[in-house]
Amino acid sequence: MALRIGNGYDIHRLVAGRPLILGGQRLEHPAGLGLDGHSDADVLVHAIMDALLGALSLGDIGKYFPPEDPQWKGADSLELLEQVTALVAERGWRVVNVDSVVIAERPKLKPHIEAMRAAIAARMGLEADQVGVKATTNEKLGPEGREEGISCQAVALLERP
Ligand code: MG
């Protein structure tokens, strides 16, 4: 059996007047901030997609869903994840698991983690226990700590039976 591993990273700016969507869940930021971006700016789902693509050396999400393409304006990232998962399957690979960590000072993500895992797993045709989502603050350090943005790191393991 062949195995492949990939990693993904993403960061989006926190701005006023935008929704905060993470793992397909709409959250409330205490300062009313949301993530800026061409799509729904779901950094968690973006990092997972890049990990999947990276595992097969297929490039990154910018290649498949270019930000300058109006087609992807306001796109639901979970739908894009479904497409990336299909691409992986078309090439004969199966996802063993994904794991991720969201770096955000606020809001508290813990109450939403299970819903994020369930939503991501459902779109990928996985069980929730194959999808790890963790959250950490950045101890008020750096851009995440100053609430200038929220970032995410993810890894994905694929197998080809
Ligand atoms: Mg992104």
Side-chain angles (χ1 to χ4, degrees):
M1 180 196 298
L3 293 172
R4 299 291 289 267
I5 191 167
N7 90 92
Y9 167 80
D10 197 20
I11 186 165
H12 281 259
R13 287 177 191 276
L14 274 170
V15 295
R18 285 275 303 180
L20 175 56
I21 296 171
L22 284 173
Q25 313 305 302
R26 187 163 178 157
L27 311 182
E28 289 301 320
H29 190 283
L33 304 175
L35 292 174
D36 197 18
H38 188 68
S39 67
D40 63 8
D42 189 330
V43 277
L44 168 56
V45 174
H46 291 187
I48 290 174
M49 286 193 279
D50 266 358
L52 294 168
L53 292 169
L56 298 182
S57 309
L58 292 174
D60 59 36
I61 53 172
K63 177 175 157 184
Y64 297 88
F65 315 108
E68 59 276 10
D69 187 337
Q71 186 182 0
W72 311 120
K73 188 166 166 51
D76 174 353
S77 294
L78 286 176
E79 278 175 22
L80 309 185
L81 176 64
E82 221 173 294
Q83 292 184 41
V84 170
T85 305
L87 191 70
V88 166
E90 276 163 26
R91 303 214 168 210
W93 292 83
R94 201 181 70 83
V95 179
V96 177
N97 73 307
V98 299
D99 188 28
S100 60
V101 56
V102 179
I103 300 118
E105 215 56 38
R106 295 188 300 174
K108 282 249 174 291
L109 299 184
K110 201 173 172 192
H112 308 286
I113 294 280
E114 294 315 312
M116 292 179 194
R117 291 176 60 211
I120 293 163
R123 294 304 183 105
M124 296 182 72
L126 300 175
E127 300 297 325
D129 71 359
Q130 290 171 285
V131 178
V133 176
K134 308 185 298 300
T136 184
T137 71
N138 222 27
E139 295 288 334
K140 297 199 161 52
L141 296 166
E144 297 95 330
R146 292 189 295 267
E147 296 191 282
E148 294 167 3
I150 290 178
S151 69
C152 181
Q153 300 175 18
V155 290
L157 183 67
L158 309 184
E159 66 177 1
R160 192 172 54 194

